[in-house]
């Protein structure tokens, strides 16, 4: 069982940066692949980035490649999303998610979810 809590969201101007954090409880965090999803108003939840349990492999949505970076610190049981060159279309609630084993890109692949943190990018 993993309990996830996101933080770091807020209001930022276009072109700015934010770093989201996801704190995980549970002794087996290092065996979980992690991902960040987001959901904009009126839209379906979509994957933003994913990282393997060991951190050696990552995957990004085309819309954020080159701007966002996912990372993790298994010692601190944290996963991060560094967001740069933010655009108004990045405005959404961002969710941290986890699953045992290898990562996936589908929402249904993940068993554990945080409550979400709001990111608003003004133009």
């Amino acid at each position: 069982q993993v309990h996830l809590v996101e933080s770091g969201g807020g209001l930022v101007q276009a072109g700015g940066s934010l770093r989201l954090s996801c704190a995980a409880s549970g002794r087996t965090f290092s065996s979980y692949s992690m991902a960040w999803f987001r959901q904009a108003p009126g839209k379906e939840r979509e994957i933003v980035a994913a990282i393997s349990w060991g951190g050696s492999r990552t995957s990004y949505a085309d819309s954020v490649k080159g701007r966002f970076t996912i990372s993790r610190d298994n010692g601190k049981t944290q996963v991060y999303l560094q967001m740069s060159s933010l655009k108004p279309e990045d405005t959404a609630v961002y969710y941290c998610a986890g699953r045992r084993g290898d990562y996936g890109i589908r929402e249904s692949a993940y068993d554990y979810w945080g409550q979400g943190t709001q990111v608003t990018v003004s133009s």
Side-chain angles (χ1 to χ4, degrees):
Q1 193 84 7
V2 175
H3 181 61
L4 304 173
V5 179
E6 303 95 337
S7 62
L11 174 64
V12 63
Q13 289 189 330
S17 299
L18 277 177
R19 187 196 197 203
L20 304 184
S21 298
C22 174
S25 65
R27 300 178 183 176
T28 58
F29 175 75
S30 60
S31 65
Y32 283 76
S33 292
M34 302 297 295
W36 287 95
F37 285 76
R38 68 184 180 187
Q39 187 168 22
K43 295 187 177 181
E44 293 186 352
R45 192 151 53 181
E46 62 176 1
I47 192 164
V48 175
I51 188 166
S52 61
W53 57 269
S56 62
R57 292 180 293 118
T58 58
S59 178
Y60 295 92
D62 289 342
S63 59
V64 306
K65 280 181 182 177
R67 299 189 299 122
F68 290 12
T69 302
I70 188 171
S71 62
R72 66 188 295 162
D73 185 332
N74 285 346
K76 295 182 178 179
T77 64
Q78 299 249 359
V79 62
Y80 309 101
L81 186 67
Q82 178 67 48
M83 305 185 294
S84 303
S85 302
L86 282 161
K87 305 175 181 180
E89 51 264 43
D90 294 318
T91 295
V93 178
Y94 283 71
Y95 298 90
C96 177
R99 59 162 290 166
R100 280 192 177 274
D102 206 357
Y103 64 73
I105 61 172
R106 293 186 177 87
E107 184 178 347
S108 59
Y110 290 84
D111 301 309
Y112 303 102
W113 293 84
Q115 295 293 325
T117 185
Q118 177 70 47
V119 172
T120 303
V121 184
S122 63
S123 57

